[in-house]
């Protein structure tokens, strides 16, 4: 009999063009390749609800509207959870006996519903969310966004114990694995590194360009902070080196700051194939983070499909990928690493990141967990 699984996603995972949805999309494909019949339940906002785009990733797809707006703010539940509440979704889940994979704390509304008490429930922890939102508050300028992130961090910390209703918590790195293992001993914590496109996009060797690339979702305060820091603290030290900042929805202040710097350009909202080409052609990747939380899909993308990678320690914490990168934290150290990288042709083919970042090996770990729970 074919194995079945229900997956609840916080967002329509196609196109897989930023962190969390990349993990969801390629995890769905890995589940299908491992022989699962996948029923995807996905909230959808800001994207067309087109099930045809997921034909190679799910057998059935159900879309649900997210209840955005001020009314969803008036709740003890976090906004990211309360705005994703759907009685229809819960009714559909209650009509199945398959294991349920909740993608992120965002998607956990109803995990404590008595109708699901007998089900195998796994939560994919994309972050320690209250820490992540605290970091977003610190990265934001004073105003309503900072107040929202600070309030959301407190609500997420209060809500997080709902994870006691999970059978398993799948953490993205070892630091967060230890956190969940200690905080929720009644649920089995397992290490499940991020899923991503682990097949090279191009046949030619990477690094043929003459520029440094920073990539990230530029609508996220943490990434905007990193991009502005690169302009102010790094690009100014290397006026002869072109820098490209690529990502979705860059704010006006970032565009203005880049325009005032002669060696920095912004690639706004690049199509996936355009971003793939930038990643492939960049001579060096500069990847910075100011909070060591969650998955760093852009790091995996650069390492698997790009040339030299320069990263700071928060970007690498818990990943085990330090040996593949130039590692530095201070502006002058980072600039020195970039100078070295720009002078070194990158003649190697795609890096082999080992079983830890192999999609098939990781889905086998998840499959083993489900099989053990079924046998109990």
């Amino acid at each position: 009999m074919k194995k079945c699984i229900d997956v609840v996603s916080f967002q329509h995972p196609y196109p897989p063009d930023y962190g969390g949805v990349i993990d969801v999309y390629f995890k769905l494909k890995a589940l299908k390749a491992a022989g699962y019949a996948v029923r995807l339940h996905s909230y959808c906002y800001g994207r067309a609800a087109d099930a045809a785009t997921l034909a190679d990733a799910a057998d059935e797809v159900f879309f649900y509207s997210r209840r955005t707006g001020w009314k969803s703010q008036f709740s003890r539940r976090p906004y990211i959870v309360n705005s994703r509440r759907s009685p229809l979704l819960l009714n559909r889940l209650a009509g199945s006996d398959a294991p349920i994979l909740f993608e992120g704390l965002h998607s956990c509304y109803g995990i404590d519903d008595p109708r699901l008490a007998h089900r195998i429930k796994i939560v994919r922890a994309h972050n320690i969310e209250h820490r992540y939102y605290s970091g977003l508050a610190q990265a934001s300028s004073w105003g309503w966004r900072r107040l929202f992130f600070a309030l959301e961090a407190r609500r997420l910390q209060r809500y997080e114990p709902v994870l006691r209703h999970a059978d398993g918590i799948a953490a993205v790195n070892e630091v967060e694995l230890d956190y969940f293992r200690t905080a929720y001993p009644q649920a089995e914590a397992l290490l499940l590194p991020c899923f991503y496109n682990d097949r090279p996009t191009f046949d030619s060797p990477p690094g043929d360009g003459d520029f440094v690339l920073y990539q990230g979702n530029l609508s996220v305060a943490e990434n905007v902070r990193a991009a502005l820091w690169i302009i102010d603290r790094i690009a100014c030290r290397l006026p002869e080196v072109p820098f490209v900042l690529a990502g979705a929805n860059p704010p006006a202040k970032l565009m203005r700051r880049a325009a005032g710097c002669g060696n920095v350009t912004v690639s706004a909202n690049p199509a996936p194939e355009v971003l793939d080409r930038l990643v492939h052609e960049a001579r060096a990747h500069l990847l910075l983070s100011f909070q060591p939380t969650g998955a760093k899909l852009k790091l995996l993308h650069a390492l698997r499909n790009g040339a030299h990678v320069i990263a700071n320690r928060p970007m690498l914490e818990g990943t085990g990928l330090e040996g593949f990168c130039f590692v530095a934290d201070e502006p002058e150290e980072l600039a020195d690493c970039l100078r070295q990288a720009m002078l070194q042709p990158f003649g190697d083919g795609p890096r082999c990141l080992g079983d830890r970042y192999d999609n098939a090996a990781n889905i086998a770990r998840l499959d083993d967990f489900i099989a053990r729970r079924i046998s109990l």
Side-chain angles (χ1 to χ4, degrees):
M1 181 181 295
K2 195 167 188 177
K3 298 175 287 189
C4 298
I5 190 167
D6 283 290
V7 179
V8 183
S9 179
F10 57 90
Q11 169 64 303
H12 182 1
Y14 193 89
D17 55 0
Y18 72 90
V21 296
I22 293 172
D23 182 53
V24 174
Y25 179 74
F26 289 104
K27 191 184 309 106
L28 292 171
K29 294 192 72 171
L31 283 165
K32 287 269 290 180
Y36 278 88
V38 177
R39 289 207 319 166
L40 175 63
H41 307 265
S42 181
Y43 289 93
C44 189
Y45 53 98
R47 297 181 176 213
D50 184 0
T53 59
L54 297 168
D56 61 346
D59 296 273
E60 293 183 86
V61 180
F62 303 97
F63 288 117
Y64 306 87
S65 297
R66 188 178 174 196
R67 302 186 187 192
T68 56
W70 62 269
K71 288 184 179 180
S72 289
Q73 288 282 8
F74 293 98
S75 172
R76 289 181 59 82
R77 286 188 293 266
Y79 177 77
I80 63 171
V81 176
N82 200 45
S83 60
R84 293 177 174 89
R85 62 191 193 277
S86 171
L88 177 58
L89 185 154
L90 286 176
N91 287 337
R92 282 180 174 148
L93 290 178
S96 168
D97 288 320
I100 306 170
L101 174 61
F102 295 89
E103 288 288 350
L105 195 59
H106 315 51
S107 303
C108 283
Y109 182 87
I111 194 174
D112 55 349
D113 190 297
R115 293 174 293 172
L116 306 182
H118 67 290
R119 304 285 289 283
I120 296 171
K121 298 182 287 291
I122 305 155
V123 176
R124 169 32 138 211
H126 291 269
N127 281 296
I128 301 172
E129 293 292 349
H130 63 88
R131 292 183 182 175
Y132 176 66
Y133 273 78
S134 291
L136 290 179
Q138 293 170 20
S140 301
S141 56
W142 284 103
W144 72 266
R145 285 178 63 84
R146 184 165 189 166
L147 290 172
F148 166 74
F149 288 138
L151 173 62
E152 192 73 345
R154 290 196 292 271
R155 291 191 293 203
L156 283 162
Q157 190 166 17
R158 289 196 302 265
Y159 183 75
E160 190 186 77
V162 78
L163 293 177
R164 295 181 182 130
H165 294 274
D167 297 282
I169 302 172
V172 296
N173 62 46
E174 290 174 349
V175 173
E176 298 186 6
L177 176 71
D178 290 341
Y179 170 84
F180 289 114
R181 182 175 284 156
T182 301
Y184 305 103
Q186 60 273 67
E188 181 179 340
L190 61 151
L191 179 63
L192 199 69
C194 289
F195 292 77
Y196 67 109
N197 187 1
D198 59 357
R199 291 174 175 78
T201 308
F202 299 95
D203 294 330
S204 59
D208 287 341
D210 63 350
F211 62 93
V212 174
L213 177 67
Y214 172 80
Q215 50 149 325
N217 184 345
L218 295 177
S219 66
V220 174
E222 162 77 3
N223 294 336
V224 173
R225 179 186 178 191
L228 291 171
W229 196 88
I230 288 169
I231 294 172
D232 295 341
R233 307 294 294 277
I234 306 296
C236 62
R237 297 171 186 266
L238 300 168
E240 74 284 2
V241 177
F243 284 73
V244 177
L245 312 177
N249 304 319
K253 67 177 179 180
L254 177 59
M255 299 296 288
R256 288 194 299 268
R257 195 82 62 87
C261 191
N263 59 330
V264 177
T265 59
V266 178
S267 177
N269 301 304
E273 59 273 15
V274 173
L275 182 59
D276 285 343
R277 182 163 292 281
L278 286 171
V279 169
H280 182 71
E281 293 180 351
R283 176 62 61 88
H285 297 261
L286 181 55
L287 297 177
L288 306 178
S289 178
F290 296 104
Q291 53 171 321
T293 61
K296 303 296 192 293
L297 269 299
K298 55 194 169 191
L299 175 63
L300 290 173
H301 194 186
L303 286 172
R304 186 59 176 156
N305 295 291
H308 302 293
V309 175
I310 297 90
N312 65 351
R313 286 176 176 82
M315 173 63 68
L316 294 165
E317 185 169 327
T319 66
L321 295 171
E322 295 85 350
F324 296 101
C325 306
F326 294 87
V327 184
D329 291 298
E330 298 302 320
E332 189 53 50
E333 294 175 330
L334 289 163
D336 285 342
C337 289
L338 286 170
R339 291 187 187 99
Q340 294 178 53
M342 297 305 289
L343 294 173
Q344 295 178 17
F346 189 83
D348 296 336
R351 298 175 178 88
C352 177
L353 303 181
D355 284 350
R356 179 172 180 171
Y357 292 99
D358 180 270
N359 289 350
N362 284 323
I363 214 64
R365 295 189 186 101
L366 182 61
D367 185 46
D368 177 68
F369 171 82
I370 292 171
R372 286 190 289 105
R373 301 301 297 189
I374 290 174
S375 66
L376 290 178

